[in-house]
Amino acid sequence: MIDIDVLLAWGAAYKKVSAGEIIFKEGQPCSFYYQLVTGKVKWVNIDDEGKNCIHAIVEPGESFGEFPLFDDGPFAATAVADEDSLIIRLHKPVFLQLMQDNPVIHFAFTQMLSKRLRYKFAVIKSFAAHCPEEMISTLLNQLKSEKKNFCGDCNQLNLTRQQIADMTGLRVETVIRTMRTMHEKGDLVISRGKVYCKDMIQRITA
Amino acid sequence: MIDIDVLLAWGAAYKKVSAGEIIFKEGQPCSFYYQLVTGKVKWVNIDDEGKNCIHAIVEPGESFGEFPLFDDGPFAATAVADEDSLIIRLHKPVFLQLMQDNPVIHFAFTQMLSKRLRYKFAVIKSFAAHCPEEMISTLLNQLKSEKKNFCGDCNQLNLTRQQIADMTGLRVETVIRTMRTMHEKGDLVISRGKVYCKDMIQRITA
DNA sequence: TTTCGAATATGACTTCACGCATAAAAACAC
DNA sequence: GTGTTTTTATGCGTGAAGTCATATTCGAAA
């Protein structure tokens, strides 16, 4: 999100993490700005019984774990490396100074938060509808519009049913069954287990 | 949220709305910054079948409907006056200029978005747990910590069960039954229909 | 005080996602 | 190729929230 050269100029440091490694834990106090350079990071709440609630699968260029930068609360979720990854991080006070000195970066950040919040509205709306189909299509629409978790050139989704379940709060079986129904209705295509989403009409989930 | 004198100095205008009146509708494009001065405003998604999903009950001083200010998308939800209210609004380009000229106001705004997003994380987490009790206590904790929708001096909640239902995606009956269970477990007190929440231990819903 | 509507409360029945079990099919390593 | 693990798939019983019906209580207004 923020240009890496800018971050480096302000004294940010790289950090390598290997697949499965925990970058930070929910509830911990912390004071870094984090941005993913390469690899993949899961931003997730892990339940007492080990159940996951994935808030986002972070891709290169995106920041994550920003809440503690703006209040003095703890991390809202745990960040786990999903693959070997490279992250860059900057101390909180330095980050805040950077924001203050760069209104353009600051504004872009505000825009990003607003966009995420807009998406969370859509998620909550579909949750409230108690309809698995709606939850899944809200997720897929969102990912599609962000061009995330899809094979760049084709329409193939590169998430497992389990990951979709963790991102929607549903169970794997429900996701599998619901997506099969959606396939039968022609809302998406499943071929040899892989999911292909046609370009969707942008709903007013806005 | 933004000082009224500042808003007025930048050319904001007051607008009176009566109870039940729609201030703006989900899906509409629009370009104002809105802030509530007096009264109460519901920020809500209204379903085809008339079912509500209340995102917030806005109290004086708070802004609402901000998303279109930062992207060119439409309103994410409908704003309805819950009582006769007075709002103040400012044209989008003027608002953006105000932000640019006032880094302190800009930063406060960013903080507010971050805080809301943090809360939405907690909501989604409790949604994913599929546990009515957790959803209700997440909501009550949040309102309590924001000192919203509670009688200022006492601990009495001034929301109907229906409103709680609309804010949690549950049905009225479920809310009534669940809250009664919570009362029996000592998590809250119900006396003559009114709900009283003791000061809660701040969970790490963070 | 009485009346009336809204909010709360409770019972009975239904439905649909859950959860477990188990099987089949890919994906991967060797 | 073979074997192993991961992912997808399907059946079935259970349970918890939804749904509908109906009291009952509360509060504001006449």
Side-chain angles (χ1 to χ4, degrees):
Chain A
M1 166 105 211
I2 300 180
D3 194 89
I4 292 189
D5 292 333
V6 173
L7 288 171
L8 289 172
W10 283 75
Y14 284 112
K15 192 163 178 246
K16 275 190 151 177
V17 286
S18 22
E21 195 174 319
I22 289 176
I23 301 163
F24 54 74
K25 268 201 176 119
E26 176 182 355
Q28 277 182 347
C30 195
S31 35
F32 282 98
Y33 166 80
Y34 289 87
Q35 187 171 311
L36 184 61
V37 182
T38 59
K40 204 173 269 186
V41 167
K42 265 191 320 196
W43 201 9
V44 68
N45 285 128
I46 300 166
D47 195 287
D48 301 329
E49 294 102 34
K51 276 180 198 165
N52 287 346
C53 169
I54 301 180
H55 289 285
I57 293 185
V58 183
E59 300 205 330
E62 292 186 289
S63 61
F64 55 99
E66 303 93 345
F67 303 152
L69 297 171
F70 300 103
D71 53 31
D72 294 319
F75 282 118
T78 301
V80 189
D82 212 33
E83 316 172 344
D84 292 351
S85 302
L86 185 64
I87 61 178
I88 189 166
R89 61 181 205 178
L90 185 63
H91 278 284
K92 172 170 168 175
V94 182
F95 170 82
L96 294 177
Q97 191 61 47
L98 189 160
M99 293 278 271
Q100 198 177 308
D101 290 7
N102 296 272
V104 175
I105 292 179
H106 185 176
F107 187 73
F109 206 87
T110 308
Q111 277 185 312
M112 184 271 292
L113 287 178
S114 167
K115 213 174 98 185
R116 287 204 198 158
L117 198 49
R118 185 190 275 275
Y119 169 57
K120 294 297 181 195
F121 262 59
V123 169
I124 289 172
K125 186 183 168 185
S126 67
F127 253 122
H130 294 279
C131 168
E133 206 160 313
E134 194 149 327
M135 269 143 61
I136 292 171
S137 68
T138 297
L139 174 70
L140 295 183
N141 272 304
Q142 169 63 13
L143 295 177
K144 193 96 204 200
S145 74
E146 283 189 5
K147 298 173 183 26
K148 282 185 63 173
N149 307 114
F150 276 95
C151 272
D153 47 345
C154 62
N155 287 324
Q156 186 184 315
L157 183 67
N158 56 19
L159 291 174
T160 65
R161 307 286 195 277
Q162 182 61 60
Q163 285 177 312
I164 296 173
D166 290 340
M167 293 173 96
T168 52
L170 300 167
R171 301 288 158 252
V172 207
E173 301 93 325
T174 305
V175 171
I176 289 170
R177 281 187 261 250
T178 305
M179 291 186 85
R180 189 134 287 281
T181 308
M182 290 168 81
H183 164 75
E184 278 151 21
K185 293 207 295 182
D187 292 342
L188 46 78
V189 176
I190 298 177
S191 170
R192 296 210 275 98
K194 295 286 165 207
V195 177
Y196 302 84
C197 299
K198 48 183 168 187
D199 291 310
M200 302 180 174
I201 303 106
Q202 192 61 30
R203 295 163 172 246
I204 306 160
T205 50
Chain B
M1 164 105 212
I2 299 180
D3 193 272
I4 292 190
D5 292 333
V6 174
L7 288 172
L8 289 173
W10 283 75
Y14 284 112
K15 194 165 177 246
K16 274 189 153 178
V17 286
S18 22
E21 196 174 320
I22 290 177
I23 301 164
F24 53 75
K25 267 200 176 121
E26 176 182 357
Q28 277 182 346
C30 194
S31 34
F32 282 98
Y33 166 80
Y34 290 88
Q35 187 172 311
L36 184 61
V37 182
T38 58
K40 205 173 269 186
V41 167
K42 265 191 318 194
W43 201 10
V44 68
N45 286 128
I46 300 167
D47 195 288
D48 300 329
E49 294 102 34
K51 273 180 199 166
N52 286 346
C53 170
I54 301 180
H55 289 285
I57 293 186
V58 182
E59 300 206 331
E62 291 185 289
S63 61
F64 55 99
E66 304 93 346
F67 302 150
L69 298 171
F70 300 104
D71 52 31
D72 294 318
F75 283 119
T78 300
V80 189
D82 213 33
E83 315 172 346
D84 291 351
S85 302
L86 184 64
I87 61 176
I88 188 166
R89 61 181 205 177
L90 186 63
H91 277 286
K92 173 171 167 174
V94 182
F95 170 81
L96 294 176
Q97 191 61 48
L98 189 160
M99 293 279 271
Q100 198 178 306
D101 291 8
N102 296 272
V104 174
I105 292 179
H106 185 175
F107 188 72
F109 206 87
T110 309
Q111 277 184 312
M112 184 271 291
L113 287 178
S114 167
K115 213 174 97 185
R116 287 202 198 158
L117 198 48
R118 183 190 277 274
Y119 168 57
K120 293 296 181 196
F121 262 58
V123 170
I124 288 171
K125 186 183 169 187
S126 68
F127 255 123
H130 294 279
C131 168
E133 205 160 314
E134 195 149 325
M135 269 143 63
I136 292 171
S137 68
T138 297
L139 174 70
L140 295 183
N141 272 305
Q142 168 63 13
L143 295 177
K144 191 96 203 201
S145 75
E146 283 189 4
K147 298 174 184 25
K148 280 185 63 172
N149 306 116
F150 275 96
C151 271
D153 46 345
C154 63
N155 288 323
Q156 186 184 315
L157 183 69
N158 55 20
L159 291 175
T160 66
R161 308 285 195 277
Q162 183 61 61
Q163 284 176 313
I164 296 173
D166 290 341
M167 293 174 96
T168 53
L170 300 166
R171 303 288 158 250
V172 206
E173 299 93 327
T174 306
V175 170
I176 289 171
R177 282 188 259 250
T178 305
M179 291 186 85
R180 189 133 287 282
T181 308
M182 291 169 81
H183 164 75
E184 277 151 22
K185 292 207 297 183
D187 291 343
L188 47 78
V189 176
I190 298 177
S191 170
R192 295 207 275 98
K194 294 287 165 207
V195 177
Y196 301 84
C197 299
K198 48 183 169 186
D199 290 310
M200 301 178 175
I201 302 104
Q202 192 60 30
R203 294 163 174 248
I204 307 161
T205 51

